[in-house]
């Protein structure tokens, strides 16, 4: 399962801020409070760049307030009505107001779908470390990645699994392991965990 998340900061409604002020009069509450909001798309296909462009454009449309339909309607239309592109040279084009978003899949006999920029792997790790990690993955060692940037973990893990082609990683694979599941690092079988 693949997912793309777009997170932005939204301003809290003034009525909620005034309710908090009334309930807690001794607290010094600022006039403007912002909270993180996320929009997420989950898919069985790693179409990262297309999904990212869709989420960014969706956010831009809602910020500009020019969009007639609510976010839920856009997402429902996207999920229900946009078909999965067939393997080959045919692409599916999704128009979102003035923006065209293209989705395509490789042919059956070509390299697998890889929609993540490989250069980010080499910006995060030097060539010697990439070769060592690749060798450890081929030998099915336990691979544990740690980073302050969660998005970078996903990209590095996806790049490592794509470098295994024509082989596939058939063991535990979790690019971002939630803290309640940290006991999986004690698993006796090979894993690739971020």
């Amino acid at each position: 399962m693949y997912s793309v998340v777009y997170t932005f900061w939204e301003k809290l409604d003034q009525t909620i801020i005034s309710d908090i002020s009334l309930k807690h009069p001794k607290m010094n509450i600022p006039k403007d409070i912002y909270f993180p909001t996320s929009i997420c798309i989950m898919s069985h296909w790693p179409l990262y760049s297309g999904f990212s462009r869709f989420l960014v454009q969706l956010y831009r449309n809602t910020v500009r307030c020019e969009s007639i339909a609510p976010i839920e309607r856009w997402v429902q239309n996207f999920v229900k009505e946009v078909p999965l592109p067939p393997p080959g040279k045919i692409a599916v084009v999704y128009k979102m107001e003035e923006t065209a978003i293209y989705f395509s899949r490789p042919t059956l006999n070509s390299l697998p779908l890889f929609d993540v920029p490989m250069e980010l792997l080499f910006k995060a790790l030097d060539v010697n470390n990439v070769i060592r990690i690749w060798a450890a993955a081929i030998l099915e060692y336990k691979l544990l990645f740690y980073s302050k940037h969660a998005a970078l973990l996903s990209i590095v893990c996806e790049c490592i699994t794509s470098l295994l082609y024509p082989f596939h990683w058939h063991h535990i694979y979790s690019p971002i392991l939630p803290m309640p599941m940290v006991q999986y690092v004690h698993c006796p079988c090979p894993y690739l965990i971020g």
Side-chain angles (χ1 to χ4, degrees):
M1 191 63 99
Y2 301 94
S3 65
V4 176
V5 179
Y6 186 77
T7 304
F8 54 94
W9 292 87
E10 221 172 13
K11 191 174 181 179
L12 194 61
D13 190 39
Q14 288 297 326
T15 57
I16 297 172
I17 295 173
S18 60
D19 287 346
I20 295 170
S21 299
L22 291 173
K23 289 179 184 176
H24 306 285
K26 293 182 180 179
M27 286 181 63
N28 185 16
I29 298 174
K31 282 198 268 182
D32 296 329
I33 298 175
Y34 292 86
F35 64 97
T37 305
S38 297
I39 309 170
C40 176
I41 292 181
M42 297 185 77
S43 172
H44 290 284
W45 299 97
L47 301 167
Y48 294 112
S49 62
F51 292 153
S52 296
R53 284 192 299 264
F54 171 75
L55 292 178
V56 168
Q57 189 61 38
L58 180 63
Y59 171 72
R60 287 180 182 160
N61 289 349
T62 57
V63 167
R64 284 187 285 167
C65 297
E66 294 174 9
S67 178
I68 298 168
I71 288 178
E72 293 82 9
R73 180 67 188 134
W74 281 105
V75 173
Q76 180 184 7
N77 178 46
F78 182 75
V79 171
K80 299 261 184 190
E81 298 177 15
V82 177
L84 180 67
K89 296 181 180 179
I90 299 172
V92 172
V93 180
Y94 179 73
K95 288 224 171 209
M96 190 171 191
E97 295 186 357
E98 70 276 354
T99 305
I101 302 169
Y102 296 89
F103 296 94
S104 63
R105 291 184 358 197
T107 59
L108 295 175
N109 295 332
S110 66
L111 292 173
L113 177 63
F114 182 68
D115 200 19
V116 177
M118 186 68 78
E119 70 230 22
L120 293 176
L121 172 68
F122 291 98
K123 285 182 180 178
L125 302 166
D126 66 342
V127 175
N128 289 332
N129 282 331
V130 171
I131 292 171
R132 286 185 186 126
I133 292 168
W134 177 82
I138 288 289
L139 295 171
E140 297 181 343
Y141 284 11
K142 296 177 182 182
L143 297 170
L144 179 65
F145 295 93
Y146 177 79
S147 176
K148 295 177 185 174
H149 309 287
L152 189 59
L153 283 174
S154 296
I155 291 169
V156 167
C157 290
E158 278 297 309
C159 289
I160 295 299
T161 57
S162 72
L163 288 174
L164 296 176
Y165 183 79
F167 304 112
H168 298 281
W169 185 261
H170 290 287
H171 304 288
I172 295 174
Y173 177 67
S174 179
I176 300 176
L177 186 71
M179 280 308 287
M181 298 176 69
V182 76
Q183 72 270 12
Y184 280 100
V185 298
H186 299 296
C187 179
C189 61
Y191 57 73
L192 199 155
I193 294 175

